[in-house]
Amino acid sequence: MRFLADLPDTDVEWLDALAVEQGVSRAELVRRAVAAYRADALGDAVDNAFGIWKERDDIGDGLKYQRRLRGKRE
């Protein structure tokens, strides 16, 4: 479904820059934002985020990854 929404120019410029950075359309960013807001409003954010990094192959063992990150801060 299409709809019309008025946004400040600065927000549109920010969305356009982010869209280029992420290689997606402005509309896709808005869809993602609405989905995230809806999940948060419904209290499903934790359920929706569970396993979000399961396809990442650059992390390896989760505990070792956490220790690596924490070691950089300490």
Side-chain angles (χ1 to χ4, degrees):
M1 174 182 180
R2 291 181 175 253
F3 72 97
L4 180 64
D6 292 321
L7 295 173
D9 289 341
T10 54
D11 287 346
V12 174
E13 291 166 4
W14 178 79
L15 280 172
D16 287 344
L18 187 62
V20 169
E21 181 182 311
Q22 294 190 7
V24 297
S25 67
R26 185 192 306 159
E28 177 60 20
L29 289 178
V30 172
R31 284 190 288 270
R32 290 177 183 180
V34 169
Y37 184 80
R38 184 176 179 189
D40 186 52
L42 295 174
D44 293 339
V46 172
D47 290 336
N48 289 339
F50 185 79
I52 199 167
W53 284 12
K54 67 182 175 191
E55 301 299 323
R56 293 194 47 182
D57 57 2
D58 59 321
I59 293 174
D61 180 79
L63 185 56
K64 289 179 184 176
Y65 177 75
Q66 283 180 10
R67 288 182 176 150
R68 244 188 353 258
L69 288 179
R70 290 179 181 157
K72 290 179 182 178
R73 286 190 309 213
E74 296 172 352

